[in-house]
Structures are given as C-alpha cells and as structure tokens.
C-alpha cells in the first residue's frame, strides 16, 4: 500500500479515536460543544448510548490501525478496505439520518482512502 494511502488510513483512524474519546469520556463536556443540535439536557440522559457509539468508533479505529501493521500486502489491502468501507457506510448513513456534514467529515475521507488503497 502506498504511503499516501497509509497516511489517509491513519488520519481516518485518528478521527475515530477522537470520536471515541468524545462519546465515551467527554460526552457531557466536549460533546455539548461538538453536537450543538442536541438539546443540552439530553447529554446526561444519553451518556450510555453515546459511550456505546464511541466503542464502535474505537473498533473502526482499531481495524484501520491493524491494517497498517499487516505485512502481507493482500491481507493489508483487504483489511484496510473492509474497515474503510465500514466507515464509509456508517458516515453515509449518518449523513442521511442525522446531519449531512457527517458525509464530508467521515464518509468522504474514508472514500478517499478506499480509492487510494485500490490504486496502490
């Protein structure tokens, strides 16, 4: 896999680690600043739900980081593509169901990663 593809994968993974941190550990502080469309009183009530979502974001980040550590190029491509496609699908679903900005923030970087992996 090319260096640019690996950098994009790393950036997507870092983004999902950041989302994990917000949703699992900073939901009632940074979450309120990040997710401004939610009424402030809901943050305490939804803390457990947000933590669950954060955990899933952590799994996506772990898979992407794992793909960077695989020495077999075929498996590296396959694992990277699987997790990038998962991020793309989740980002697209979020854009349709929650906020269109999620497409630009999550799905588009994953799509760029998918294209770079396929071209390398």
């Amino acid at each position: 896999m090319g260096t640019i593809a690996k950098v994009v994968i790393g950036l997507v993974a870092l983004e999902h680690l950041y989302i994990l941190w917000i949703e699992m550990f900073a939901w009632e502080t940074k979450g309120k600043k990040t997710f401004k469309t939610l009424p402030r009183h809901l943050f305490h009530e939804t803390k457990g739900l947000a933590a669950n979502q954060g955990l899933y974001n952590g799994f996506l980040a772990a898979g992407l980081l794992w793909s960077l550590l695989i020495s077999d190029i075929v498996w590296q491509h396959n694992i990277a593509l699987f997790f990038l496609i998962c991020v793309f699908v989740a980002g697209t679903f979020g854009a349709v169901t929650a906020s269109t900005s999620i497409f630009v923030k999550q799905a588009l970087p994953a799509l760029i990663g998918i294209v770079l992996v396929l071209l390398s």
Side-chain angles (χ1 to χ4, degrees):
M1 214 165 16
T3 303
I4 297 173
K6 289 179 180 179
V7 168
V8 170
I9 289 168
L11 290 173
V12 173
L14 287 175
E15 177 183 23
H16 285 274
L17 287 173
Y18 179 65
I19 295 169
L20 171 148
W21 173 75
I22 290 174
E23 293 178 341
M24 291 188 80
F25 304 109
W27 185 241
E28 294 184 77
T29 55
K30 182 69 174 168
K32 288 180 182 178
K33 296 175 187 171
T34 305
F35 299 96
K36 296 174 184 166
T37 58
L38 285 176
R40 295 181 71 78
H41 72 277
L42 287 180
F43 283 89
H44 180 71
E45 297 173 19
T46 60
K47 189 174 181 178
L49 294 171
N52 188 49
Q53 287 178 195
L55 184 62
Y56 286 106
N57 279 286
F59 292 146
L60 293 172
L64 290 168
L65 293 172
W66 172 41
S67 76
L68 297 176
L69 302 174
I70 298 171
S71 58
D72 182 284
I73 193 70
V74 173
W75 275 103
Q76 185 180 53
H77 276 97
N78 291 340
I79 299 301
L81 284 173
F82 173 78
F83 283 98
L84 286 168
I85 290 168
C86 288
V87 170
F88 177 76
V89 170
T92 301
F93 185 77
V96 170
T97 61
S99 171
T100 54
S101 68
I102 294 174
F103 186 85
V104 174
K105 295 174 187 173
Q106 293 180 29
L108 187 58
L111 181 59
I112 291 167
I114 291 166
V115 170
L116 290 171
V117 170
L118 290 174
L119 293 176
S120 62

